[in-house]
Amino acid sequence: MVIQSNMSSKAIVQAWEKTVDTFEKYNVPISEKTLEALVNESVLPDLLSELNSVVGSSSATCIVGG
């Protein structure tokens, strides 16, 4: 699964605890709001890239339909 902007930081941390440090680095609160609502759009691609790197996920690890 790839971490996406429509996911909440709270859900991400619940699934992958090791992402907490990345959220702290980017000053993103652990919240039920989506990342796209919490993070400036100029920073969002970098945050998503780093989060997916931390959890070892990329678009190559995803398959259509799940």
Side-chain angles (χ1 to χ4, degrees):
M1 173 187 254
V2 173
I3 296 173
Q4 300 176 354
S5 62
N6 63 344
M7 300 168 86
S8 73
S9 54
K10 183 176 180 180
I12 294 166
V13 168
Q14 286 175 340
W16 300 282
E17 267 186 59
K18 59 188 171 183
T19 59
V20 169
D21 292 339
T22 304
F23 286 121
E24 288 176 357
K25 174 182 173 182
Y26 284 86
N27 296 313
V28 177
I30 305 305
S31 166
E32 292 187 9
K33 292 182 180 181
T34 64
L35 293 180
E36 58 198 0
L38 290 172
V39 180
N40 185 300
E41 65 184 37
S42 65
V43 176
L44 191 55
D46 292 335
L47 172 63
L48 290 171
S49 177
E50 189 163 332
L51 287 168
N52 281 300
S53 177
V54 166
V55 302
S57 185
S58 71
S59 59
T61 63
C62 284
I63 59 170
V64 175

